[in-house]
Amino acid sequence: MKQALEHLQKEEFTEARRSFEAELVARPRNLEARYNLALLLQKSGHDDRELQLYEKNMTYGWHLPTVVNLSSIYIADGKEVEAYSLLKKASKRFRNEATPRYLLAELDAAAGKIDAADKWFRQALKADPLNGFAHIRYARFLAQQKRGKEALKHASRAVRLQPECAMCLNILGDIQIKETSYNSAVASYQMSLAIEPLAITRQRLIDALHKLGEHKRAERMQKALDAWKKHQ
């Protein structure tokens, strides 16, 4: 297992795959090894085998990263019922984990079950109050329900818990725009860009500057962004 991880760090993917496979022959109950092999195969485009490995892991025991990735595959394949069932079982197995609960909440929200979604989000935060991803996902849900003040509270909490999370800062900025806090949104997008300089975030910053009335600054940034896109 150690040797396989060392190969991964060196981006020696063929050697890593062989090491993980050898580990599983010797120790078939090694859930981490099978999970890492599945991730590696996913990068190589072996989607069918990836699914088989995750499902095989579940026959040996409960492994939260496996649950998350397997449920994601089920959802992508249109198997929401299977994903929901898996996540609901996981929520009972992992009593102090927010992840299966906020994923259940998002499935319910997508199905229009707003009250059920809100309940799962609150259960996620009760299970792990310090989980920044639970807070930011709940914030996004609350904003969609036009519960702006609550959304700002949870998004701000997420950023305090995970100050290096560019996605969290983007969502906070989006909520601040909806609440017409344009100066705050500009600051959030700028912090996000400092962490992860994405074009989509730069566009959000430009739009926020327009809302703030800083049109000349926004236009200069737009020209620079358009020129950069032409050369990509």
Side-chain angles (χ1 to χ4, degrees):
M1 181 71 172
K2 181 180 178 182
Q3 186 178 33
L5 293 173
E6 288 174 353
H7 284 310
L8 267 185
Q9 290 177 346
K10 296 176 183 177
E11 297 187 352
E12 297 170 349
F13 299 128
T14 299
E15 292 82 356
R17 175 180 57 78
R18 289 171 178 166
S19 293
F20 282 129
E21 289 172 341
E23 170 68 19
L24 289 170
V25 170
R27 282 169 284 277
R29 300 187 71 87
N30 189 329
L31 305 184
E32 281 291 332
R34 190 173 289 104
Y35 169 77
N36 279 288
L37 177 58
L39 287 181
L40 183 58
L41 292 174
Q42 179 184 7
K43 292 178 182 177
S44 305
H46 297 281
D47 293 341
D48 291 341
R49 193 173 173 201
E50 174 199 354
L51 173 61
Q52 292 168 6
L53 287 166
Y54 287 138
E55 290 182 331
K56 183 70 172 179
N57 245 15
M58 295 305 302
T59 66
Y60 285 110
W62 285 89
H63 181 247
L64 185 56
T66 294
V67 169
V68 172
N69 286 10
L70 181 55
S71 66
S72 179
I73 292 173
Y74 284 157
I75 292 167
D77 290 344
K79 298 178 179 178
E80 287 85 358
V81 173
E82 289 86 341
Y84 199 93
S85 175
L86 176 63
L87 290 167
K88 195 168 183 180
K89 290 175 184 176
S91 72
K92 295 176 182 178
R93 291 278 180 170
F94 301 102
R95 297 188 178 277
N96 297 317
E97 293 287 350
T99 307
R101 292 168 174 81
Y102 67 63
L103 292 176
L104 282 163
E106 291 181 343
L107 279 172
D108 275 333
K113 300 175 182 178
I114 305 305
D115 290 342
D118 191 86
K119 182 179 178 181
W120 279 119
F121 275 123
R122 285 187 278 108
Q123 285 191 22
L125 292 172
K126 184 177 180 181
D128 186 1
L130 300 181
N131 188 307
F133 289 114
H135 281 282
I136 200 64
R137 287 169 182 255
Y138 190 32
R140 185 169 55 191
F141 167 80
L142 290 168
Q144 291 167 349
Q145 303 307 312
K146 304 187 186 303
R147 294 161 64 182
K149 290 183 179 179
E150 293 175 83
L152 279 175
K153 172 187 170 183
H154 286 282
S156 298
R157 177 69 168 155
V159 168
R160 288 196 297 273
L161 289 168
Q162 298 182 159
E164 297 299 312
C165 175
M167 177 199 72
C168 300
L169 285 159
N170 281 344
I171 292 173
L172 174 59
D174 293 347
I175 295 169
Q176 288 165 334
I177 288 289
K178 288 183 178 180
E179 293 300 301
T180 67
S181 299
Y182 302 135
N183 277 310
S184 297
V186 166
S188 295
Y189 294 138
Q190 287 173 329
M191 286 188 285
S192 178
L193 283 168
I195 298 166
E196 191 174 10
L198 298 176
I200 190 170
T201 306
R202 198 167 298 278
Q203 188 63 63
R204 284 170 162 160
L205 173 58
I206 291 167
D207 295 342
L209 288 169
H210 275 302
K211 289 182 180 296
L212 198 56
E214 294 192 29
H215 301 298
K216 289 184 178 180
R217 182 182 171 192
E219 287 166 4
R220 287 196 300 270
M221 290 184 66
Q222 188 70 64
K223 286 180 182 179
L225 179 59
D226 292 342
W228 177 83
K229 286 179 177 179
K230 286 181 181 178
H231 292 89
Q232 296 306 302

